């Protein structure tokens, strides 16, 4: 839930950090290049984890870049006004992050060979992550309860709109050779194997030692200990660190500690109804 928002083509954005002109520019005029690589997610799906993994892959496992440059400068945020300025003058190949739903993504992507890595997460865990995140971030309104946030989430009345539409929109690209989808749960289950798959998608050949270094330096603890990745550099007027940590828990299944049986059933009904076309696709689908 947002304190001050604007809606662009039906998608709610926090007005404190985005503006409608930039979102419009990105969709209609931003020039995607063939060697761009995009990390795309719905919020709280493991965006920063993927950004860290990719930074390490690009450096052949060498952590120096990750330890010296803030994560948001290594893979600037497409729809943020500041990052867009950086990207306009960035030397290719560019690494870019975005939470945009597919219908607001740059039109120039469609004629390009640019690669998209889409990370998806169990929406129940994502919702719990968003619930805690809302307590830290100045542009988000702290919900009175998980119940309140759950209602808003199911209505798509949260930042970036409906999770269901976001995931269905992007998964429509499955089968294209420039699109790769992976889940937070797969990363948790087998990080090394997942990194290997990401490398194959990117056409990167890493030695065993380099792979091991990616896995080690992209671990939850390594990222928590890295000031360039743990958001400690984020100003207090945006992220109130006294209320908690951006890298909060980093586990699968935390929803079980937060959802009541009734909330889980309500969520399950909406999920089955909205996701029937993708039934059985994700690790959390029974
Ligand atoms: S954001 O604000 O949308 O960019 O957030 P995002 O990065 O997508 O998601 C934040 C959650 O990802 C967890 N995270 C990790 N989990 C496991 N391992 C690693 N290395 C890792 N890095 C980030 C982070 O802790 C948030 O999840 P929760 O459940 O809140 O802990």
């Amino acid at each position: 839930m947002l304190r001050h928002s604007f809606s662009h083509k039906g998608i709610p954005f926090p007005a404190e950090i985005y503006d409608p002109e930039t979102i419009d520019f990105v969709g209609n005029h931003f020039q995607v290049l063939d060697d761009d690589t995009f990390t795309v997610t719905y919020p709280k799906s493991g965006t920063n984890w993927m950004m860290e993994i990719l930074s390490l892959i690009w450096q052949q496992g060498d952590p120096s870049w990750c330890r010296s440059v803030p994560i948001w400068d290594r893979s600037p945020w497409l729809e943020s006004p500041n990052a867009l300025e950086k990207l306009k003058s960035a030397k290719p190949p560019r690494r870019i992050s975005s939470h945009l739903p597919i219908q607001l993504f740059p039109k120039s992507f469609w004629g390009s060979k640019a690669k998209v890595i889409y990370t998806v997460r169990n929406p129940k865990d994502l919702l719990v992550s968003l619930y805690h995140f809302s307590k830290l971030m100045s542009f988000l309104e702290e919900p009175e309860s998980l119940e309140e946030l759950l209602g808003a989430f199911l209505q798509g009345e949260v930042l970036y709109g409906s999770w269901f539409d976001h995931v269905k929109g992007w998964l429509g690209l499955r089968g294209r050779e420039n699109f790769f989808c992976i889940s937070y749960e797969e990363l948790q289950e087998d990080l090394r194997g997942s990194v290997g798959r990401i490398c194959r998608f990117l056409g990167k050949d890493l030695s065993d030692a380099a792979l091991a270094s990616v896995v080690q330096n992209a671990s939850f603890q390594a990222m928590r200990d890295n000031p360039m990745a743990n958001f400690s550099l984020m100003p207090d007027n945006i992220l109130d660190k006294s209320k908690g940590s951006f890298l909060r828990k980093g586990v699968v299944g935390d929803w079980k500690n937060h959802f009541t049986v009734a909330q889980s059933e309500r969520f399950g009904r909406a999920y089955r109804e909205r996701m029937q076309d993708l039934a059985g696709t994700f690790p959390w689908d029974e």
Side-chain angles (χ1 to χ4, degrees):
M1 289 149 34
L2 298 161
R3 279 192 201 286
H4 304 288
S5 64
F6 65 88
S7 169
H8 187 80
K9 298 192 176 162
I11 304 296
F13 289 92
E16 289 89 342
I17 52 172
Y18 299 128
D19 63 63
E21 294 75 26
T22 304
I23 305 291
D24 185 66
F25 174 87
V26 165
N28 291 309
H29 306 293
F30 181 77
Q31 199 51 52
V32 172
L33 305 176
D34 281 341
D35 50 8
D36 287 342
T37 303
F38 290 89
T39 297
V40 182
T41 51
Y42 187 86
K44 311 319 293 176
S45 301
T47 325
N48 286 275
W49 193 6
M50 184 54 72
M51 286 156 80
E52 196 77 347
I53 290 168
L54 293 176
S55 293
L56 288 158
I57 290 176
W58 281 308
Q59 299 299 306
Q60 301 283 326
D62 179 351
S64 336
W65 193 42
C66 289
R67 291 182 188 163
S68 55
V69 177
I71 192 161
W72 46 78
D73 284 340
R74 286 184 258 126
S75 184
W77 208 259
L78 178 61
E79 58 268 29
S80 122
N82 295 340
L84 197 49
E85 280 314 307
K86 286 181 207 159
L87 280 170
K88 279 185 199 160
S89 55
K91 272 205 278 172
R94 304 179 301 183
R95 290 83 201 234
I96 309 173
S97 307
S98 177
H99 284 320
L100 286 176
I102 196 161
Q103 70 274 20
L104 299 185
F105 210 61
K107 289 195 172 103
S108 57
F109 168 70
W110 298 102
S112 80
K113 294 185 181 136
K115 292 185 168 146
V116 168
I117 297 180
Y118 187 71
T119 310
V120 66
R121 185 181 190 184
N122 183 338
K124 288 179 173 174
D125 279 335
L126 179 161
L127 186 66
V128 170
S129 182
L130 180 61
Y131 177 66
H132 291 283
F133 186 62
S134 302
K135 301 178 188 184
L136 312 183
M137 304 308 282
S138 60
F139 56 85
L140 295 177
E141 195 174 348
E142 185 176 341
E144 281 188 5
S145 60
L146 185 71
E147 179 80 15
E148 189 190 12
L149 183 62
L150 197 156
F153 185 84
L154 294 180
Q155 295 296 321
E157 290 166 359
V158 286
L159 71 168
Y160 289 93
S162 160
W163 176 86
F164 303 95
D165 293 347
H166 202 283
V167 171
K168 286 191 283 186
W170 278 105
L171 262 71
L173 297 196
R174 278 187 308 172
R176 287 179 175 240
E177 64 180 31
N178 62 341
F179 180 77
F180 181 81
C181 178
I182 192 162
S183 65
Y184 181 95
E185 290 69 20
E186 287 168 283
L187 296 172
Q188 287 278 11
E189 172 81 22
D190 177 11
L191 186 53
R192 194 186 171 103
S194 300
V195 171
R197 287 169 57 209
I198 296 165
C199 286
R200 279 195 288 286
F201 172 68
L202 294 173
K204 299 272 179 214
D205 195 13
L206 262 57
S207 66
D208 283 352
L211 264 178
S213 177
V214 175
V215 170
Q216 186 189 333
N217 288 290
S219 71
F220 185 74
Q221 197 53 50
M223 285 184 66
R224 253 193 155 184
D225 293 342
N226 179 2
M228 299 296 146
N230 65 12
F231 279 59
S232 55
L233 297 178
M234 185 67 76
D236 278 326
N237 63 342
I238 301 180
L239 190 158
D240 186 346
K241 286 154 228 137
S242 69
K243 293 193 175 155
S245 168
F246 178 86
L247 280 108
R248 187 185 61 92
K249 221 167 181 183
V251 297
V252 169
D254 195 32
W255 68 268
K256 293 174 192 155
N257 300 316
H258 290 79
F259 277 56
T260 63
V261 172
Q263 286 168 343
S264 180
E265 285 175 2
R266 178 180 174 199
F267 197 97
R269 277 193 301 278
Y271 182 87
R272 280 189 295 280
E273 195 180 302
R274 305 281 300 271
M275 299 302 282
Q276 37 183 295
D277 295 352
L278 290 171
T281 301
F282 303 111
W284 57 85
D285 290 330
E286 293 97 349

